[in-house]
Amino acid sequence: MFIPKRVIFEKGALDYPLGQELYTRFTQDPKVEIFEAATNRVKTHIPGDDLSQMYRHGKQTLVVGIKKSLKFQSCKPSAHYQLPLVSGCMGQCEYCYLNTQLGDKPFVRVHVNVDEILAQAEKYAQERLPHKTIFEGAATSDSLAVEPLTHSLAKCITYFGERDYTRFRFVSKYNDVDGLLDLKHNGHTEIRFSLNTPYIINTYEHATASSKLRIEASSKVSRSGYPVGFIIAPVFMYPNWKEEYHDLLVNLKHELPEKPPHPIIFEVISHRYTLRAKNRITQIFPETSLPMTEEERSFKYGQFGYGKYVYPKEQLADMKAFFTKELDDLFPYKDVKYII
Ligand code: SF4
């Protein structure tokens, strides 16, 4: 669970019950600094003299605000709309794509007007009838890490569970699922966990849950009847990678129910980086050991006009063959979306 060092309440947030609840909670904690600020003054309360310090202080900051613009972003191809419950994430993954998206002080922002957000979701869903509308709850955030504070996912899961024409999905590197286990979700919410080997998590995914805790959480939600998926990413081909990814998948198989209620969904994505991301990462994590040597990679044009560096074709083919076989051997009831 996210335990911030400072909490900034934006103007108007205290007019909502969730804003009040968070205010009461954090003002009772002497270890947490509290500020009230206008939206455009939030960053002035986050210290830091250089990019690395600003990053770390930003990651320890919770902003409690209102989602004013209720125009949802599209979220193709995995969903129709992003559901804007939270933005930012307390995790400090060295390779995270959000490093280039969230500015110099990447704070976590929770929105307290969840009822208004859900009312807007309803409007979008009504417009698409008779088709089902899928909402993604973790497009620019990891909502699960703040769930014990906000209970917003629980509210959304129950809301979408009551509607045949809506579906909800989110992904996480955390394990705060206990408040979700007894909800009436009706199988309308798909919960995915991002997984990696203990070596990769310990080396690059700072301030996230261990693979053991994520796997335990996935087992709990699967046993509560949720559709469950795993994003194994980013896959790094380091010495021993096959043994360690094999062990990870074997552990997963042993923890999941023998007969899961839905096929287990898998997405497997190899590591790739852009030069823009590399520049940013090396400023925030000057000592990083992330493998980002252009000479060892192939260059591929991306869909948004900038290129990325991927593993060479032969290594990707080897990775694909490895995961195809492992998943086939271990998980008879599955849905492999892609291995790329
Ligand atoms: Fe980024 Fe996800 Fe890590 Fe958060 S947990 S820093 S969103 S990769």
Side-chain angles (χ1 to χ4, degrees), residues 59 89 91-93 96 98 142 173:
K59 288 281 183 178
C89 167
Q92 299 183 21
C93 303
C96 178
L98 291 181
D142 193 315
K173 282 185 167 69

Side-chain angles (χ1 to χ4, degrees), residues 281-299:
I281 291 165
T282 47
Q283 281 177 301
I284 303 171
F285 299 100
E287 310 292 324
T288 188
S289 62
L290 275 173
M292 295 188 293
T293 306
E294 285 76 83
E295 292 71 32
E296 293 172 3
R297 295 293 178 99
S298 296
F299 183 74

Side-chain angles (χ1 to χ4, degrees), residues 8-16 37-42 63-73 83-87 109-120 123-124:
I8 304 170
F9 291 86
E10 285 180 0
K11 212 162 174 273
L14 295 178
D15 298 339
Y16 289 80
T39 305
N40 60 357
R41 305 286 299 160
V42 161
V63 175
V64 180
I66 300 167
K67 181 68 186 160
K68 292 199 185 87
S69 161
L70 289 172
K71 187 174 180 325
F72 291 5
Q73 303 282 316
L83 193 76
L85 298 173
V86 182
S87 66
R109 188 168 195 271
V110 296
H111 298 131
V112 291
N113 54 332
V114 182
D115 291 331
E116 290 162 18
I117 293 168
L118 283 173
Q120 183 65 22
K123 281 189 199 156
Y124 282 118

Side-chain angles (χ1 to χ4, degrees), residues 3-38:
I3 303 174
K5 285 216 168 128
R6 73 190 60 74
V7 183
I8 304 170
F9 291 86
E10 285 180 0
K11 212 162 174 273
L14 295 178
D15 298 339
Y16 289 80
L18 177 55
Q20 279 292 339
E21 189 184 320
L22 292 170
Y23 190 79
T24 306
R25 175 182 190 130
F26 286 116
T27 47
Q28 286 170 358
D29 187 339
K31 293 196 286 301
V32 178
E33 281 185 288
I34 305 285
F35 301 96
E36 290 179 46

Side-chain angles (χ1 to χ4, degrees), residues 92-140:
Q92 299 183 21
C93 303
E94 295 186 18
Y95 58 74
C96 178
Y97 84 103
L98 291 181
N99 288 338
T100 53
Q101 308 278 319
L102 294 178
D104 295 347
K105 295 174 175 175
F107 52 82
V108 181
R109 188 168 195 271
V110 296
H111 298 131
V112 291
N113 54 332
V114 182
D115 291 331
E116 290 162 18
I117 293 168
L118 283 173
Q120 183 65 22
E122 179 72 27
K123 281 189 199 156
Y124 282 118
Q126 291 288 338
E127 281 168 12
R128 285 185 33 83
L129 284 173
H131 305 289
K132 289 188 173 77
T133 302
I134 307 172
F135 296 94
E136 167 64 58
T140 56

Side-chain angles (χ1 to χ4, degrees), residues 1-4 26 59-62 90 108 145-146 149 176:
M1 182 180 104
F2 183 32
I3 303 174
F26 286 116
K59 288 281 183 178
Q60 294 165 335
T61 304
L62 177 67
M90 66 188 243
V108 181
V146 290
L149 300 173
D176 303 276

